[in-house]
Amino acid sequence: MTRIAFLGLGRMGAPMAGRLGAAGHDLTVWNRTPGRAAALPGAAERATPAEAAAGAELVITMLTDAGAVEDVLFGPGGAVPALEPGAVIADMSTIGPDAVRRVRDRLPAGIGLVDAPVSGSVPQAEAGGLVILAGAAHADLARCAEAFAALGTVRHVGPPGAGAALKVVVNSVLVGNFAVLGEALGLAGRLGVDTRLALDALARISPQARRLLEDPGPPRFTLALAAKDLDLALDGSSGDGSGGDGSGAGGVLPAVRARTRSALAAGLADHDLTALADHIRRTTQMRVTLDNPATVPAPPNPAYSHTAYVTQGPMLYVSGQIALDENGKVDAPGDMTRQSEVVFSLLERILAAHGAGFADVVGIRTYLTDMDLRGEYGAVRMRHFTGAPPTSTTVEVPRLFHPDALIEVEIVAAVP
């Protein structure tokens, strides 16, 4: 049997460590939150990664992202300084090939590295049915064989980094499939097709559609982790969640990432990935088209559209906002630019509270006490409406509800 240190007893790590202990391996464990080892018979819990790794032949890490892996291996109390020459580290997290290369470059001579992310989720971890995508030298992988046999089936895909690269490819398709299902179900709704009927048909060709028909149960793969993996796929980021702005240069995966980030903003980070399909289904049923029919003259300026066409979905009506502060007084009397900035800040916060933004605004009505100041207002407004401008009406009034207010703005928005 192998002397194994298992670092990270999360949703996947705990059942994996449990299988290693049940197989008779000499198992020490560490987890950032102590006490998780109580449910693992035969596992000895240690206070630091270094204490867990002391004397181990094999160190397995199963952590959230690259930052966590590097901290556990090289940070204060990290495992690597405690290892003896000949030990092997098997990272079974999903951290991407760039992070694997960083880890390999920091390891001292005599320490082997196997990058071994897994395909499968909690049920497969509990049953020993994971597919281990191993990137490693043959000799290092051979030293993990006995331990890996308790966890699943090994597929040797190349040198260190190859397993991490393949896992990113696999997960990008997995997340993309749920996104496409959400789009398809949104289309079904717009065409009047029953959702259950559509899923029954889609389940014949899609295992992800079959997942949507099952009792969801506890999360298997959270949306937060899915978003992290898409960042790895598109940015080559370290997996710390700081990947780019999601704009991309076109293509399917950048669009999937934008949809995934929308789901995160809606509070679904800890939900299972299957929730992405339902989120997209609901948001794709709401469509806003801003345009100017060719049959009428174009607007006198490009700051507004003639029409807004909205498909089914909830609408948000925001009453007129003026630049009031917390004390009920108008901010900056006489200053149109400042009052406009305050008004748009209030509108932004109201929209965000309903999961919407300025891109969802379909109509805006503005009241000014002095039309000669509309240029100052317009400059602020253009900073917030960066896409197709909404329908718009601007009128001059002799005075507003508050005598110091120069501007009042009300909007109508489509709620995603």
Side-chain angles (χ1 to χ4, degrees):
M1 293 293 109
T2 307
R3 297 192 303 277
I4 301 174
F6 200 102
L7 311 180
L9 301 178
R11 187 178 287 111
M12 288 287 288
M16 293 167 65
R19 288 195 61 84
L20 292 170
H25 295 285
D26 181 1
L27 185 66
T28 57
V29 299
W30 171 87
N31 192 64
R32 194 174 303 278
T33 303
R36 294 277 179 88
L40 302 176
E45 187 170 14
R46 297 291 186 258
T48 67
E51 292 176 19
E57 301 168 84
L58 172 63
V59 174
I60 296 177
T61 52
M62 189 61 175
L63 300 160
T64 302
D65 54 38
V69 171
E70 293 180 80
D71 183 59
V72 163
L73 292 179
F74 304 107
V80 169
L83 295 178
E84 299 177 1
V88 176
I89 296 171
D91 176 55
M92 305 190 80
S93 322
T94 301
I95 63 174
D98 290 348
V100 171
R101 283 189 284 271
R102 288 200 304 272
V103 170
R104 181 189 59 194
D105 292 344
R106 295 179 68 179
L107 290 177
I111 303 298
L113 176 64
V114 176
D115 82 280
V118 299
S119 181
S121 190
V122 175
Q124 291 75 31
E126 294 172 340
L130 296 169
V131 177
I132 301 168
L133 307 175
H138 287 281
D140 290 335
L141 183 57
R143 293 155 70 190
C144 303
E146 193 175 29
F148 284 177
L151 303 177
T153 303
V154 177
R155 183 171 184 183
H156 190 190
V157 299
L166 181 56
K167 178 61 184 299
V168 167
V169 171
V170 169
N171 277 9
S172 67
V173 173
L174 177 64
V175 180
N177 282 348
F178 280 110
V180 169
L181 282 170
E183 292 271 5
L185 293 175
L187 173 63
R190 294 196 300 277
L191 295 177
V193 177
D194 178 75
T195 298
R196 179 75 186 205
L197 179 62
L199 277 175
D200 283 339
L202 290 167
R204 298 177 181 272
I205 59 172
S206 167
Q208 284 74 41
R210 292 195 288 275
R211 282 283 313 279
L212 297 179
L213 288 168
E214 299 171 359
D215 181 355
R220 301 183 190 179
F221 180 39
T222 67
L223 269 165
L225 291 176
K228 179 262 297 184
D229 291 355
L230 282 176
D231 282 341
L232 290 173
L234 292 169
D235 302 331
S237 72
S238 65
D240 60 4
S242 62
D245 63 6
S247 58
V252 173
L253 287 181
V256 172
R257 175 160 66 175
R259 290 292 198 175
T260 303
R261 290 182 173 181
S262 171
L264 295 181
L268 301 178
D270 293 330
H271 290 235
D272 189 79
L273 175 58
T274 52
L276 177 63
D278 185 60
H279 173 76
I280 293 175
R281 176 188 66 82
R282 290 184 288 103
T283 56
T284 55
Q285 287 183 348
M286 167 66 79
R287 288 294 178 92
V288 177
T289 303
L290 299 164
D291 66 6
N292 301 297
T295 54
V296 297
N301 67 65
Y304 66 89
S305 295
H306 275 318
T307 67
Y309 176 74
V310 185
T311 62
Q312 60 181 328
M315 302 295 294
L316 176 68
Y317 294 81
V318 181
S319 64
Q321 299 295 305
I322 62 175
L324 287 179
D325 61 20
E326 291 79 359
N327 299 316
K329 296 182 178 180
V330 167
D331 193 311
D335 187 338
M336 175 63 79
T337 296
R338 174 57 184 168
Q339 289 194 25
S340 299
E341 289 170 345
V342 173
V343 166
F344 275 92
S345 173
L346 294 171
L347 292 171
E348 184 173 39
R349 289 153 58 188
I350 294 170
L351 287 165
H354 293 82
F358 284 107
D360 302 302
V361 172
V362 298
I364 180 168
R365 180 180 288 270
T366 306
Y367 303 92
L368 303 177
T369 58
D370 185 350
M371 194 66 77
D372 289 341
L373 299 177
R374 68 186 183 276
E376 298 174 26
Y377 157 65
V380 175
R381 173 171 157 172
M382 289 178 64
R383 295 205 301 268
H384 292 83
F385 292 101
T386 57
T391 62
S392 173
T393 299
T394 302
V395 296
E396 184 179 70
V397 295
R399 61 175 293 177
L400 294 167
F401 180 79
H402 195 291
D404 290 330
L406 301 176
I407 180 173
E408 183 172 337
V409 180
E410 61 185 39
I411 59 173
V412 178
V415 180

